[in-house]
Amino acid sequence: MAKKKSNKSLWLMLALIVVIVAVIFLLPAGETPKEAETQTESTTLVKAGDTAPDFTVELFDGSQVTLSSLRGKVVLLNFWATWCPPCRQELTRVQEDIIDRFAGQPFVFLPVSRGEKRETVASFREKTGYTFPMGLDSARTVYDRYASNYIPRNFLIDKEGKVVLATVGYDDGEFDALIRTIEKTLEN
């Protein structure tokens, strides 16, 4: 009886080892940075040098803005969401580093909430104290013209409506470079 129990335990352990080895071989390998970059690029539908697709978006206050009506101004189109930690981190810098810095210049910061209801954005604005205009794109009709995945995203659009820079994600250094690019674009 002891031998029978020992064989059963041995077979059970052997089966467990086979399952573990199979899982290890079947799991996808981690993406290399190059693969991740290529995947991110493939989800960006509008690239630097392209004409920015026109759209009309409802702002939080109920008014509407059309991108083509902003011609003659440099526009920073920002896609974000309340649930996105890098988006929230980026938004903490916006008032001082973007809105206040470029006040009085032909510049518009246009943040557009991707795929969220007005109530969600309202609650977020109340918690954070943000009062700057925000677009609402609950059906993702605007976002889907520019990208198919990943936020935060920034599209810097020049006075003629051409995309100067398209970025994905948030990083302090990249955000600082974005500010410098806004300055250079305003000079042109």
Side-chain angles (χ1 to χ4, degrees), residues 44-56 65-79 108 110 112 141-147 154-166 185:
T44 304
L45 306 177
V46 180
K47 316 253 193 259
D50 293 347
T51 298
D54 199 17
F55 61 85
T56 299
V65 67
T66 300
L67 182 62
S68 58
S69 72
L70 300 175
R71 287 272 163 88
K73 297 181 180 183
V74 173
V75 177
L76 179 58
L77 176 60
N78 169 265
F79 292 104
V108 174
L110 182 55
V112 176
T141 55
V142 178
Y143 178 80
D144 288 347
R145 292 180 185 183
Y146 285 80
N154 286 298
F155 293 88
L156 183 61
I157 303 165
D158 71 13
K159 295 173 187 175
E160 287 77 44
K162 295 275 187 198
V163 175
V164 175
L165 180 68
T185 305

Short mmCIF file of all heavy atoms in Angstrom, two decimals, residues 44-56 65-79 108 110 112 141-147 154-166 185:
data_model
loop_
_atom_site.label_atom_id
_atom_site.label_comp_id
_atom_site.label_asym_id
_atom_site.label_seq_id
_atom_site.Cartn_x
_atom_site.Cartn_y
_atom_site.Cartn_z
N THR A 44 -0.15 54.86 -33.48
CA THR A 44 -0.22 56.29 -33.72
C THR A 44 -0.65 56.49 -35.17
O THR A 44 0.08 56.16 -36.09
CB THR A 44 1.15 56.96 -33.47
OG1 THR A 44 1.57 56.65 -32.13
CG2 THR A 44 1.06 58.47 -33.64
N LEU A 45 -1.85 57.01 -35.37
CA LEU A 45 -2.41 57.15 -36.71
C LEU A 45 -2.01 58.46 -37.38
O LEU A 45 -2.03 58.57 -38.60
CB LEU A 45 -3.93 57.04 -36.65
CG LEU A 45 -4.47 55.77 -35.96
CD1 LEU A 45 -5.98 55.81 -35.89
CD2 LEU A 45 -3.98 54.52 -36.67
N VAL A 46 -1.63 59.46 -36.58
CA VAL A 46 -1.22 60.76 -37.10
C VAL A 46 0.20 61.00 -36.62
O VAL A 46 0.47 60.97 -35.42
CB VAL A 46 -2.17 61.87 -36.59
CG1 VAL A 46 -1.73 63.23 -37.13
CG2 VAL A 46 -3.60 61.58 -36.99
N LYS A 47 1.08 61.25 -37.56
CA LYS A 47 2.51 61.41 -37.24
C LYS A 47 2.95 62.85 -37.50
O LYS A 47 2.26 63.62 -38.16
CB LYS A 47 3.33 60.46 -38.11
CG LYS A 47 2.77 59.05 -38.22
CD LYS A 47 3.56 58.07 -37.44
CE LYS A 47 3.21 56.64 -37.77
NZ LYS A 47 2.38 55.94 -36.92
N ALA A 48 4.13 63.17 -37.01
CA ALA A 48 4.72 64.49 -37.27
C ALA A 48 4.81 64.69 -38.78
O ALA A 48 5.19 63.79 -39.53
CB ALA A 48 6.10 64.59 -36.64
N GLY A 49 4.39 65.89 -39.23
CA GLY A 49 4.38 66.20 -40.65
C GLY A 49 3.01 66.05 -41.29
O GLY A 49 2.73 66.64 -42.33
N ASP A 50 2.13 65.28 -40.66
CA ASP A 50 0.77 65.10 -41.17
C ASP A 50 -0.09 66.32 -40.84
O ASP A 50 0.16 67.02 -39.86
CB ASP A 50 0.08 63.88 -40.54
CG ASP A 50 0.70 62.55 -40.93
OD1 ASP A 50 1.52 62.52 -41.89
OD2 ASP A 50 0.38 61.54 -40.28
N THR A 51 -1.11 66.53 -41.65
CA THR A 51 -2.12 67.52 -41.31
C THR A 51 -3.00 66.92 -40.21
O THR A 51 -3.43 65.77 -40.33
CB THR A 51 -2.99 67.87 -42.53
OG1 THR A 51 -2.14 68.44 -43.54
CG2 THR A 51 -4.09 68.85 -42.17
N ALA A 52 -3.22 67.66 -39.15
CA ALA A 52 -4.04 67.17 -38.04
C ALA A 52 -5.48 67.02 -38.50
O ALA A 52 -6.05 67.96 -39.06
CB ALA A 52 -3.96 68.13 -36.86
N PRO A 53 -6.09 65.85 -38.31
CA PRO A 53 -7.50 65.66 -38.69
C PRO A 53 -8.39 66.63 -37.92
O PRO A 53 -8.23 66.82 -36.72
CB PRO A 53 -7.80 64.22 -38.28
CG PRO A 53 -6.47 63.55 -38.21
CD PRO A 53 -5.50 64.61 -37.78
N ASP A 54 -9.31 67.25 -38.65
CA ASP A 54 -10.23 68.20 -38.02
C ASP A 54 -11.27 67.46 -37.19
O ASP A 54 -11.60 66.30 -37.47
CB ASP A 54 -10.93 69.05 -39.10
CG ASP A 54 -11.51 70.33 -38.53
OD1 ASP A 54 -11.12 70.73 -37.40
OD2 ASP A 54 -12.36 70.93 -39.20
N PHE A 55 -11.78 68.11 -36.19
CA PHE A 55 -12.81 67.53 -35.32
C PHE A 55 -13.49 68.66 -34.57
O PHE A 55 -12.98 69.77 -34.49
CB PHE A 55 -12.22 66.53 -34.33
CG PHE A 55 -11.20 67.15 -33.39
CD1 PHE A 55 -11.59 67.80 -32.22
CD2 PHE A 55 -9.85 67.10 -33.69
CE1 PHE A 55 -10.65 68.38 -31.37
CE2 PHE A 55 -8.91 67.68 -32.84
CZ PHE A 55 -9.31 68.32 -31.69
N THR A 56 -14.64 68.34 -34.04
CA THR A 56 -15.34 69.22 -33.11
C THR A 56 -15.53 68.43 -31.84
O THR A 56 -15.93 67.26 -31.88
CB THR A 56 -16.71 69.65 -33.67
OG1 THR A 56 -16.49 70.37 -34.90
CG2 THR A 56 -17.46 70.55 -32.69
N VAL A 65 -15.59 73.27 -29.51
CA VAL A 65 -14.46 73.84 -30.23
C VAL A 65 -14.15 72.91 -31.40
O VAL A 65 -14.22 71.69 -31.28
CB VAL A 65 -13.23 74.06 -29.31
CG1 VAL A 65 -12.64 72.76 -28.83
CG2 VAL A 65 -12.18 74.89 -30.02
N THR A 66 -13.84 73.54 -32.54
CA THR A 66 -13.45 72.82 -33.74
C THR A 66 -11.97 73.12 -33.96
O THR A 66 -11.56 74.29 -33.89
CB THR A 66 -14.29 73.27 -34.95
OG1 THR A 66 -15.66 72.99 -34.64
CG2 THR A 66 -13.89 72.55 -36.21
N LEU A 67 -11.19 72.10 -34.23
CA LEU A 67 -9.75 72.30 -34.39
C LEU A 67 -9.45 73.32 -35.49
O LEU A 67 -8.61 74.20 -35.30
CB LEU A 67 -9.06 70.96 -34.70
CG LEU A 67 -7.54 71.05 -34.86
CD1 LEU A 67 -6.88 71.52 -33.56
CD2 LEU A 67 -6.97 69.71 -35.29
N SER A 68 -10.13 73.24 -36.61
CA SER A 68 -9.85 74.17 -37.72
C SER A 68 -10.11 75.63 -37.33
O SER A 68 -9.50 76.54 -37.91
CB SER A 68 -10.64 73.78 -38.97
OG SER A 68 -12.03 73.78 -38.69
N SER A 69 -10.96 75.86 -36.33
CA SER A 69 -11.22 77.24 -35.88
C SER A 69 -10.03 77.81 -35.10
O SER A 69 -9.99 79.01 -34.84
CB SER A 69 -12.48 77.30 -35.02
OG SER A 69 -12.26 76.72 -33.75
N LEU A 70 -9.09 76.95 -34.76
CA LEU A 70 -7.91 77.38 -33.99
C LEU A 70 -6.71 77.65 -34.89
O LEU A 70 -5.61 77.92 -34.38
CB LEU A 70 -7.56 76.32 -32.94
CG LEU A 70 -8.66 76.03 -31.91
CD1 LEU A 70 -8.25 74.88 -30.99
CD2 LEU A 70 -8.99 77.29 -31.10
N ARG A 71 -6.90 77.58 -36.22
CA ARG A 71 -5.79 77.88 -37.15
C ARG A 71 -5.24 79.26 -36.82
O ARG A 71 -5.97 80.17 -36.45
CB ARG A 71 -6.26 77.86 -38.60
CG ARG A 71 -6.52 76.47 -39.13
CD ARG A 71 -5.25 75.85 -39.72
NE ARG A 71 -5.38 74.41 -39.86
CZ ARG A 71 -5.87 73.80 -40.93
NH1 ARG A 71 -6.27 74.51 -41.95
NH2 ARG A 71 -5.93 72.49 -40.97
N GLY A 72 -3.93 79.38 -36.94
CA GLY A 72 -3.27 80.63 -36.57
C GLY A 72 -2.72 80.56 -35.15
O GLY A 72 -2.00 81.44 -34.72
N LYS A 73 -3.08 79.49 -34.43
CA LYS A 73 -2.57 79.27 -33.06
C LYS A 73 -1.86 77.93 -33.02
O LYS A 73 -2.18 77.01 -33.77
CB LYS A 73 -3.72 79.26 -32.06
CG LYS A 73 -4.46 80.57 -31.97
CD LYS A 73 -5.57 80.52 -30.95
CE LYS A 73 -6.26 81.88 -30.92
NZ LYS A 73 -7.30 81.94 -29.92
N VAL A 74 -0.92 77.82 -32.11
CA VAL A 74 -0.28 76.53 -31.83
C VAL A 74 -1.19 75.82 -30.84
O VAL A 74 -1.65 76.41 -29.86
CB VAL A 74 1.14 76.74 -31.24
CG1 VAL A 74 1.73 75.42 -30.78
CG2 VAL A 74 2.04 77.43 -32.26
N VAL A 75 -1.48 74.54 -31.12
CA VAL A 75 -2.41 73.77 -30.28
C VAL A 75 -1.68 72.55 -29.73
O VAL A 75 -1.04 71.81 -30.48
CB VAL A 75 -3.64 73.31 -31.09
CG1 VAL A 75 -4.57 72.46 -30.24
CG2 VAL A 75 -4.39 74.52 -31.65
N LEU A 76 -1.81 72.35 -28.44
CA LEU A 76 -1.33 71.12 -27.82
C LEU A 76 -2.57 70.28 -27.51
O LEU A 76 -3.32 70.58 -26.58
CB LEU A 76 -0.54 71.37 -26.55
CG LEU A 76 -0.03 70.11 -25.83
CD1 LEU A 76 0.84 69.25 -26.76
CD2 LEU A 76 0.73 70.47 -24.57
N LEU A 77 -2.81 69.28 -28.35
CA LEU A 77 -3.93 68.36 -28.18
C LEU A 77 -3.45 67.22 -27.29
O LEU A 77 -2.50 66.53 -27.63
CB LEU A 77 -4.38 67.84 -29.55
CG LEU A 77 -5.47 66.78 -29.57
CD1 LEU A 77 -6.76 67.28 -28.92
CD2 LEU A 77 -5.73 66.32 -31.01
N ASN A 78 -4.12 67.06 -26.16
CA ASN A 78 -3.71 66.07 -25.15
C ASN A 78 -4.87 65.11 -24.89
O ASN A 78 -5.96 65.54 -24.54
CB ASN A 78 -3.33 66.80 -23.87
CG ASN A 78 -3.15 65.88 -22.68
OD1 ASN A 78 -4.06 65.68 -21.90
ND2 ASN A 78 -1.97 65.32 -22.55
N PHE A 79 -4.61 63.81 -25.09
CA PHE A 79 -5.61 62.79 -24.77
C PHE A 79 -5.24 62.16 -23.44
O PHE A 79 -4.09 61.76 -23.24
CB PHE A 79 -5.67 61.72 -25.87
CG PHE A 79 -6.21 62.23 -27.16
CD1 PHE A 79 -5.36 62.50 -28.22
CD2 PHE A 79 -7.57 62.47 -27.32
CE1 PHE A 79 -5.86 62.98 -29.43
CE2 PHE A 79 -8.08 62.95 -28.52
CZ PHE A 79 -7.22 63.20 -29.57
N VAL A 108 -3.04 77.25 -27.56
CA VAL A 108 -4.20 76.65 -26.90
C VAL A 108 -3.81 75.27 -26.39
O VAL A 108 -3.28 74.45 -27.16
CB VAL A 108 -5.40 76.51 -27.87
CG1 VAL A 108 -6.53 75.75 -27.22
CG2 VAL A 108 -5.86 77.87 -28.36
N LEU A 110 -5.45 71.93 -25.32
CA LEU A 110 -6.75 71.29 -25.49
C LEU A 110 -6.69 69.84 -25.00
O LEU A 110 -6.41 68.92 -25.77
CB LEU A 110 -7.17 71.34 -26.97
CG LEU A 110 -8.54 70.77 -27.31
CD1 LEU A 110 -9.65 71.41 -26.49
CD2 LEU A 110 -8.80 70.92 -28.81
N VAL A 112 -8.33 66.42 -23.96
CA VAL A 112 -9.56 65.72 -24.31
C VAL A 112 -9.60 64.40 -23.56
O VAL A 112 -8.71 63.55 -23.71
CB VAL A 112 -9.64 65.47 -25.84
CG1 VAL A 112 -10.88 64.67 -26.19
CG2 VAL A 112 -9.62 66.80 -26.60
N THR A 141 -14.55 59.34 -30.59
CA THR A 141 -14.56 59.70 -32.02
C THR A 141 -13.37 60.58 -32.39
O THR A 141 -12.84 60.45 -33.49
CB THR A 141 -15.88 60.39 -32.43
OG1 THR A 141 -16.09 61.51 -31.58
CG2 THR A 141 -17.05 59.44 -32.32
N VAL A 142 -12.96 61.45 -31.49
CA VAL A 142 -11.80 62.29 -31.76
C VAL A 142 -10.53 61.46 -31.61
O VAL A 142 -9.67 61.45 -32.50
CB VAL A 142 -11.77 63.52 -30.82
CG1 VAL A 142 -10.52 64.36 -31.06
CG2 VAL A 142 -13.03 64.36 -30.98
N TYR A 143 -10.40 60.78 -30.50
CA TYR A 143 -9.21 59.98 -30.24
C TYR A 143 -8.93 58.99 -31.37
O TYR A 143 -7.80 58.85 -31.82
CB TYR A 143 -9.35 59.23 -28.91
CG TYR A 143 -8.16 58.35 -28.60
CD1 TYR A 143 -7.01 58.89 -28.06
CD2 TYR A 143 -8.19 56.98 -28.86
CE1 TYR A 143 -5.89 58.09 -27.79
CE2 TYR A 143 -7.09 56.18 -28.60
CZ TYR A 143 -5.96 56.74 -28.07
OH TYR A 143 -4.86 55.96 -27.81
N ASP A 144 -9.97 58.32 -31.85
CA ASP A 144 -9.80 57.29 -32.87
C ASP A 144 -9.32 57.83 -34.21
O ASP A 144 -8.88 57.07 -35.06
CB ASP A 144 -11.10 56.49 -33.07
CG ASP A 144 -11.39 55.57 -31.88
OD1 ASP A 144 -10.49 55.36 -31.04
OD2 ASP A 144 -12.52 55.06 -31.80
N ARG A 145 -9.36 59.14 -34.40
CA ARG A 145 -8.78 59.75 -35.61
C ARG A 145 -7.27 59.89 -35.48
O ARG A 145 -6.57 60.02 -36.48
CB ARG A 145 -9.38 61.13 -35.86
CG ARG A 145 -10.83 61.07 -36.24
CD ARG A 145 -11.38 62.44 -36.47
NE ARG A 145 -12.81 62.33 -36.72
CZ ARG A 145 -13.57 63.36 -37.01
NH1 ARG A 145 -13.04 64.56 -37.10
NH2 ARG A 145 -14.85 63.19 -37.23
N TYR A 146 -6.79 59.90 -34.25
CA TYR A 146 -5.38 60.15 -33.99
C TYR A 146 -4.59 58.91 -33.57
O TYR A 146 -3.39 58.82 -33.83
CB TYR A 146 -5.23 61.23 -32.91
CG TYR A 146 -5.53 62.60 -33.44
CD1 TYR A 146 -6.83 63.05 -33.59
CD2 TYR A 146 -4.50 63.45 -33.81
CE1 TYR A 146 -7.11 64.31 -34.10
CE2 TYR A 146 -4.76 64.71 -34.32
CZ TYR A 146 -6.07 65.13 -34.47
OH TYR A 146 -6.33 66.37 -34.98
N ALA A 147 -5.24 57.98 -32.87
CA ALA A 147 -4.53 56.82 -32.35
C ALA A 147 -5.51 55.68 -32.09
O ALA A 147 -6.73 55.90 -32.02
CB ALA A 147 -3.82 57.18 -31.05
N ASN A 154 0.14 63.29 -26.69
CA ASN A 154 0.17 64.70 -27.03
C ASN A 154 0.46 64.85 -28.51
O ASN A 154 1.35 64.17 -29.04
CB ASN A 154 1.27 65.44 -26.23
CG ASN A 154 0.88 65.62 -24.79
OD1 ASN A 154 -0.11 66.28 -24.49
ND2 ASN A 154 1.63 65.03 -23.89
N PHE A 155 -0.29 65.73 -29.15
CA PHE A 155 -0.05 66.09 -30.54
C PHE A 155 0.12 67.60 -30.57
O PHE A 155 -0.83 68.33 -30.27
CB PHE A 155 -1.22 65.66 -31.43
CG PHE A 155 -1.38 64.17 -31.54
CD1 PHE A 155 -2.14 63.48 -30.62
CD2 PHE A 155 -0.73 63.46 -32.55
CE1 PHE A 155 -2.29 62.10 -30.70
CE2 PHE A 155 -0.87 62.08 -32.63
CZ PHE A 155 -1.64 61.40 -31.71
N LEU A 156 1.33 68.05 -30.89
CA LEU A 156 1.58 69.48 -31.00
C LEU A 156 1.32 69.88 -32.45
O LEU A 156 1.93 69.32 -33.37
CB LEU A 156 3.02 69.81 -30.59
CG LEU A 156 3.38 71.29 -30.61
CD1 LEU A 156 2.50 72.09 -29.64
CD2 LEU A 156 4.85 71.49 -30.29
N ILE A 157 0.41 70.82 -32.63
CA ILE A 157 -0.06 71.21 -33.95
C ILE A 157 0.32 72.67 -34.19
O ILE A 157 0.03 73.53 -33.35
CB ILE A 157 -1.60 71.02 -34.05
CG1 ILE A 157 -1.94 69.55 -33.72
CG2 ILE A 157 -2.12 71.44 -35.41
CD1 ILE A 157 -3.41 69.30 -33.42
N ASP A 158 0.97 72.94 -35.32
CA ASP A 158 1.42 74.31 -35.59
C ASP A 158 0.28 75.20 -36.09
O ASP A 158 -0.86 74.75 -36.24
CB ASP A 158 2.63 74.32 -36.54
CG ASP A 158 2.30 73.92 -37.98
OD1 ASP A 158 1.11 73.87 -38.35
OD2 ASP A 158 3.26 73.68 -38.74
N LYS A 159 0.61 76.46 -36.39
CA LYS A 159 -0.39 77.46 -36.76
C LYS A 159 -1.10 77.14 -38.08
O LYS A 159 -2.19 77.62 -38.34
CB LYS A 159 0.26 78.84 -36.85
CG LYS A 159 0.78 79.32 -35.51
CD LYS A 159 1.57 80.61 -35.65
CE LYS A 159 2.22 80.99 -34.34
NZ LYS A 159 3.09 82.16 -34.47
N GLU A 160 -0.47 76.30 -38.91
CA GLU A 160 -1.06 75.91 -40.20
C GLU A 160 -1.83 74.60 -40.11
O GLU A 160 -2.35 74.12 -41.12
CB GLU A 160 0.03 75.80 -41.27
CG GLU A 160 0.58 77.15 -41.74
CD GLU A 160 1.56 77.75 -40.75
OE1 GLU A 160 2.43 77.02 -40.23
OE2 GLU A 160 1.45 78.96 -40.48
N GLY A 161 -1.86 73.97 -38.93
CA GLY A 161 -2.60 72.73 -38.76
C GLY A 161 -1.80 71.47 -39.01
O GLY A 161 -2.37 70.38 -39.13
N LYS A 162 -0.48 71.58 -39.04
CA LYS A 162 0.39 70.42 -39.23
C LYS A 162 0.87 69.92 -37.87
O LYS A 162 1.18 70.71 -36.97
CB LYS A 162 1.63 70.77 -40.06
CG LYS A 162 1.32 71.17 -41.47
CD LYS A 162 1.20 69.96 -42.33
CE LYS A 162 1.06 70.40 -43.78
NZ LYS A 162 0.55 69.37 -44.61
N VAL A 163 0.97 68.60 -37.73
CA VAL A 163 1.48 68.01 -36.50
C VAL A 163 3.00 68.18 -36.49
O VAL A 163 3.69 67.77 -37.43
CB VAL A 163 1.09 66.53 -36.39
CG1 VAL A 163 1.73 65.89 -35.16
CG2 VAL A 163 -0.43 66.39 -36.34
N VAL A 164 3.51 68.80 -35.44
CA VAL A 164 4.94 69.03 -35.28
C VAL A 164 5.57 67.88 -34.49
O VAL A 164 6.67 67.45 -34.77
CB VAL A 164 5.19 70.37 -34.54
CG1 VAL A 164 6.66 70.57 -34.25
CG2 VAL A 164 4.63 71.52 -35.34
N LEU A 165 4.81 67.39 -33.50
CA LEU A 165 5.32 66.37 -32.59
C LEU A 165 4.17 65.53 -32.08
O LEU A 165 3.11 66.06 -31.78
CB LEU A 165 6.02 67.06 -31.40
CG LEU A 165 6.63 66.21 -30.32
CD1 LEU A 165 7.85 65.44 -30.85
CD2 LEU A 165 7.05 67.07 -29.13
N ALA A 166 4.41 64.22 -32.00
CA ALA A 166 3.42 63.29 -31.42
C ALA A 166 4.15 62.47 -30.37
O ALA A 166 5.16 61.83 -30.67
CB ALA A 166 2.84 62.39 -32.51
N THR A 185 7.99 76.27 -31.80
CA THR A 185 6.86 76.33 -32.73
C THR A 185 6.19 77.69 -32.68
O THR A 185 5.77 78.22 -33.72
CB THR A 185 5.86 75.19 -32.42
OG1 THR A 185 6.56 73.94 -32.44
CG2 THR A 185 4.75 75.14 -33.45
#
